[in-house]
Amino acid sequence: MNSLEVITRPFLDQQPGTSGLRKKVEVFQQPHYLENFVQSIFNSLENYQGEVLVLGGDGRYYNRHAVQVILRMAAANGFAKVMVGRGGLLSTPAASCVIRKYGAFGGIVLSASHNPAGEQGDFGIKYNTGNGGPAPEHITAAIYAESRRINRYLTLDTADVDVDTPGCRQLGDLQIEVIDPVADYAELMQSLFDFDRIHALINSGLFRMRFDAMHAITGPYAVEILENRLGVTPDTLMNCEPKEDFGGGHPDPNLVYADELVEVMFASQAPDFGAASDGDGDRNMILGRNCFITPSDSLAVLAANAHLVPGYRQGIAGIARSMPTSQAADRVADKLGIELFETPTGWKFFGNLLDAGRVTLCGEESFGTGSNHVREKDGLWAVLFWLNLLAVRRESVSDIITSHWQSYGRNFYSRHDYEAVDADGAGQLMHRLRDLGPALRGTIYAGHEVAFSDDFSYTDPIDGSVSEHQGVRIGFSDGSRVVFRLSGTGTAGATLRIYLERYEADPSLQQLDAQRALADLIAIAEQIAQIRHHTGRDCPTVIT
Ligand code: VG1
Ligand code: CO
């Protein structure tokens, strides 16, 4: 079958953000838009001819169409085989798992994660390399450069392929294998965690839980793992039927968007454990009865208790966290005598450290946690890790976190998001903070002295690559911090994120509400950055 060369012209806005290219569906629907980006990915790679590509997505609107486009283009560009999840589905961590397990050259994941889906919503696409992780910056930069000069792409003139029936079929010279999107991932989870013990807890009659898939990709994964293998009752699982528009919701597992679950968990007869996952299954929220675990604390707790879980019984090599993530994990690393790395936001910065064996656990404040089992953050993995801890310790979630704070101190933490604000105003705010920078040092705000202020820059310890302008940090002499950065995943205006952190060693002061404990810092952030003035907003859209 001859491949077809299509003449095209570049779009100048195909710059990947924190996690791939995300745009409104209608932007992707422009003729050649998706094809240009896919060909730009292929053009930026070398020696992929004859290799295997993994393909799947979070099931949002346009996923099915994009799968067919990519299959034809992969065939025309000379891949030998594409492994595609049945129905075009693969959660982000499952895609990572499949790439690694079968030694694929790389993978294309169709997802805009938590961004709203549907015809009026967003679509997204990202490339993962052979280690199963998000393409590092030098590759995303090369893809962007290609997209700005592309003038042709290769495809086939063929009918759609059946991706709903498992098994192998041909498209020209390309072999297509439709795989079960859940099986390999479920097997990996079973190899890491003590399923017998979790099963015993769940069926003890003393434990109730809820899991909310938010009508996104984790539904089928939760049914197979939590229900079929671990024995939860079907009413434990909420919103487990994936929908192309995510049921009109916003599958961002936080206190605002996962309100249905939050209501259940904060009721008087609440279950013992609650969890939710995001659109593409790589993030998680952990709740206990009337209790919320911040993602930063979750990372610290997992690290401190990893020896209780079979997959990590040998101990952990090191921990990496993104810069805005609280320093709770640093204290655990310190106690364990292991390395702690502070990286820019986005999972791609963990890849080298994981590949080099320098770290075992990674986490981000944005509800992302993961380990060296794949090269993506992993929502259900975190849920299973917590279930394994609960099964071993047989304590409540709130007792576990309280005793953790007693041993290590508590890092009060909160993130304030101002979503979809005017991009110019947000840009000016960041610009001003960068200019103020070093001049802030030594100034005192409400009794807090500024110890340092900078624009975070990261040098990768493995390959020496440098990533600049990763967020403005203002640190105070008592260890408190305020961090400002702009989101790289939004598709409308700008989203300003403000991260607040304060350490409290005294157990008698650790039960305060986080917003109250951080009130001083919240006021200082406003005073320094003039958030209201620059965003035109009185308060954040989302507080977590
Ligand atoms: C956000 C989070 C970041 C995460 C990224 C992708 O990025 O802050 O920690 O890695 O989303 O996660 P940003 O640039 O909007 O702050 V996901 O689940 O959307 O793949
Ligand atoms: Co996600």
Side-chain angles (χ1 to χ4, degrees), residues 380-426:
L380 268 172
W381 169 89
V383 174
L384 293 166
F385 205 130
W386 267 92
L387 282 171
N388 202 146
L389 296 190
L390 294 169
V392 174
R393 291 184 51 168
R394 295 281 178 142
E395 291 167 69
S396 71
V397 172
S398 73
D399 285 348
I400 288 178
I401 194 66
T402 303
S403 67
H404 184 90
W405 292 336
Q406 281 166 359
S407 319
Y408 294 93
R410 176 174 181 183
N411 289 71
F412 281 106
Y413 187 81
S414 183
R415 184 174 107 184
H416 289 194
D417 289 335
Y418 292 78
E419 294 183 334
V421 298
D422 173 56
D424 290 341

Side-chain angles (χ1 to χ4, degrees), residues 55-60 63 67 88-91 108-111 217 280:
L55 176 61
D58 62 20
R60 65 177 59 228
N63 193 126
V67 162
L89 300 179
L90 275 175
S91 76
I108 292 181
V109 183
L110 304 168
S111 166
I217 188 72
D280 60 332

Side-chain angles (χ1 to χ4, degrees), residues 22 92 111 113-114 278-283 377:
R22 291 186 193 180
T92 288
S111 166
S113 190
H114 57 278
D278 75 330
D280 60 332
D282 57 1
R283 291 191 286 131
K377 51 195 184 287

Side-chain angles (χ1 to χ4, degrees), residues 11 19 77 118 125 219 248-249 252 280 324 393 417 423 467 484 516 530 540:
F11 294 88
S19 180
N77 278 276
I125 170 167
D252 209 348
D280 60 332
R393 291 184 51 168
D417 289 335
S467 303
F484 298 83
R516 277 187 56 203
Q530 296 172 12

Side-chain angles (χ1 to χ4, degrees), residues 299 318-322 339-343 350 353 359 361-363:
L299 174 65
I319 309 172
R321 62 163 174 82
S322 68
E339 286 190 290
L340 181 289
F341 297 88
E342 185 176 45
T343 61
F350 295 136
L353 294 168
V359 301
L361 298 185
C362 306

Side-chain angles (χ1 to χ4, degrees), residues 95-270:
S96 186
C97 160
V98 171
I99 293 169
R100 294 170 67 75
K101 181 168 177 178
Y102 298 99
F105 185 85
I108 292 181
V109 183
L110 304 168
S111 166
S113 190
H114 57 278
N115 297 24
E119 262 186 273
Q120 314 301 324
D122 294 347
F123 187 71
I125 170 167
K126 59 180 174 169
Y127 179 70
N128 283 25
T129 50
N131 71 348
E137 277 196 321
H138 71 92
I139 296 185
T140 56
I143 295 171
Y144 180 46
E146 282 293 330
S147 76
R148 294 176 67 97
R149 59 173 171 255
I150 190 167
N151 55 24
R152 54 184 270 286
Y153 62 83
L154 298 178
T155 185
L156 299 180
D157 185 11
T158 50
D160 284 357
V161 182
D162 171 13
V163 293
D164 296 300
T165 317
C168 291
R169 49 212 59 124
Q170 285 296 129
L171 181 65
D173 293 334
L174 179 76
Q175 188 191 9
I176 294 172
E177 183 181 356
V178 176
I179 60 167
D180 178 336
V182 179
D184 294 306
Y185 177 81
E187 189 184 295
L188 177 60
M189 292 301 110
Q190 196 146 6
S191 75
L192 295 172
F193 300 109
D194 190 339
F195 271 36
D196 290 341
R197 209 151 175 178
I198 301 174
H199 190 276
L201 172 73
I202 284 172
N203 297 283
S204 62
L206 302 167
F207 182 81
R208 286 183 303 134
M209 67 171 279
R210 285 293 183 93
F211 175 80
D212 188 351
M214 303 186 83
H215 286 306
I217 188 72
T218 42
Y221 293 84
V223 169
E224 173 58 25
I225 296 171
L226 298 176
E227 191 178 330
N228 297 349
R229 300 195 187 201
L230 293 169
V232 304
T233 51
D235 61 342
T236 301
L237 305 179
M238 302 160 65
N239 304 319
C240 275
E241 187 195 330
K243 295 192 175 159
E244 282 204 331
D245 66 349
F246 296 155
H250 192 140
D252 209 348
N254 62 39
L255 294 172
V256 173
Y257 292 122
D259 52 344
E260 202 182 330
L261 175 71
V262 170
E263 197 173 308
V264 171
M265 294 306 299
F266 282 84
S268 58
Q269 295 298 314

Side-chain angles (χ1 to χ4, degrees), residues 223-507:
V223 169
E224 173 58 25
I225 296 171
L226 298 176
E227 191 178 330
N228 297 349
R229 300 195 187 201
L230 293 169
V232 304
T233 51
D235 61 342
T236 301
L237 305 179
M238 302 160 65
N239 304 319
C240 275
E241 187 195 330
K243 295 192 175 159
E244 282 204 331
D245 66 349
F246 296 155
H250 192 140
D252 209 348
N254 62 39
L255 294 172
V256 173
Y257 292 122
D259 52 344
E260 202 182 330
L261 175 71
V262 170
E263 197 173 308
V264 171
M265 294 306 299
F266 282 84
S268 58
Q269 295 298 314
D272 304 279
F273 180 69
S277 219
D278 75 330
D280 60 332
D282 57 1
R283 291 191 286 131
N284 70 91
M285 177 168 68
I286 302 294
L287 300 165
R289 177 182 299 142
N290 300 178
C291 151
F292 162 66
I293 304 293
T294 71
S296 299
D297 277 347
S298 179
L299 174 65
V301 170
L302 300 190
N305 291 278
H307 59 282
L308 301 177
V309 171
Y312 307 93
R313 194 151 281 153
Q314 309 312 324
I316 53 177
I319 309 172
R321 62 163 174 82
S322 68
M323 180 273 282
T325 304
S326 98
Q327 297 161 87
D330 305 31
R331 298 178 183 278
V332 178
D334 210 37
K335 187 155 173 195
L336 293 174
I338 56 176
E339 286 190 290
L340 181 289
F341 297 88
E342 185 176 45
T343 61
T345 295
W347 212 261
K348 56 179 170 253
F349 295 103
F350 295 136
N352 281 345
L353 294 168
L354 288 164
D355 285 349
R358 295 280 285 275
V359 301
T360 306
L361 298 185
C362 306
E364 296 191 280
E365 50 61 44
S366 54
F367 299 82
T369 343
S371 88
N372 59 352
H373 68 292
V374 287
R375 292 293 180 274
E376 289 277 7
K377 51 195 184 287
D378 190 343
L380 268 172
W381 169 89
V383 174
L384 293 166
F385 205 130
W386 267 92
L387 282 171
N388 202 146
L389 296 190
L390 294 169
V392 174
R393 291 184 51 168
R394 295 281 178 142
E395 291 167 69
S396 71
V397 172
S398 73
D399 285 348
I400 288 178
I401 194 66
T402 303
S403 67
H404 184 90
W405 292 336
Q406 281 166 359
S407 319
Y408 294 93
R410 176 174 181 183
N411 289 71
F412 281 106
Y413 187 81
S414 183
R415 184 174 107 184
H416 289 194
D417 289 335
Y418 292 78
E419 294 183 334
V421 298
D422 173 56
D424 290 341
Q428 277 166 22
L429 180 151
M430 291 303 296
H431 197 74
R432 223 184 116 249
L433 285 176
R434 287 196 177 103
D435 284 352
L436 272 174
L440 286 175
R441 197 171 310 143
T443 50
I444 295 177
Y445 292 88
H448 297 267
E449 183 183 347
V450 177
F452 71 91
S453 165
D454 63 9
D455 190 357
F456 182 58
S457 163
Y458 177 68
T459 304
D460 186 297
I462 311 300
D463 67 14
S465 59
V466 177
S467 303
E468 294 181 300
H469 306 300
Q470 298 296 322
V472 171
R473 312 188 285 184
I474 301 175
F476 299 91
S477 47
D478 64 354
S480 306
R481 291 195 310 172
V482 184
V483 173
F484 298 83
R485 62 178 282 280
L486 296 183
S487 158
T489 56
T491 58
T495 290
L496 172 68
R497 304 201 197 282
I498 301 168
Y499 310 82
L500 305 136
E501 176 180 4
R502 177 169 81 75
Y503 181 65
E504 180 57 70
D506 181 351

